[in-house]
């Protein structure tokens, strides 16, 4: 159940990424480019932590320290 929740969260996090990317293609605004880059970094960070949490047993105190 925990892994399914993380997959669902990852899918929901990609919605703003697609929305900002689509808005950037229409307007070519530099602010939207920075927003897209920010969402991309957050999504990559989230994906790495999901992969770490799903594959390797990590203590929650350690997760909170680096998260």
């Amino acid at each position: 159940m925990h892994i399914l929740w993380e997959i669902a969260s990852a899918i929901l996090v990609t919605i703003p990424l697609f929305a900002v990317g689509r808005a950037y293609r229409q307007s070519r605004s530099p602010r939207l480019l920075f927003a897209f880059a920010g969402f991309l970094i957050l999504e990559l960070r989230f994906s790495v932590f999901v992969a770490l949490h799903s594959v390797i047993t990590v203590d929650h105190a350690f997760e909170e320290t680096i998260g």
Side-chain angles (χ1 to χ4, degrees), residues 8 12 15-16 18 23-24 31 33 35 39 41 55-56 59 61 65-66:
L12 288 175
I15 292 171
F18 287 124
Y24 172 72
R31 288 184 179 186
L33 181 62
F39 277 125
I41 290 169
V55 175
I56 302 170
D59 183 34
T65 302
I66 62 171

Side-chain angles (χ1 to χ4, degrees), residues 28-51:
R28 301 290 183 196
S29 169
R31 288 184 179 186
L32 287 173
L33 181 62
F34 287 126
F36 182 78
F39 277 125
L40 185 64
I41 290 169
L42 288 174
E43 177 64 23
L44 288 174
R45 181 176 169 255
F46 182 74
S47 299
V48 166
F49 281 110
V50 167

Side-chain angles (χ1 to χ4, degrees), residues 53-64:
H53 192 66
S54 299
V55 175
I56 302 170
T57 304
V58 179
D59 183 34
H60 284 286
F62 180 73
E63 278 183 2
E64 293 297 324

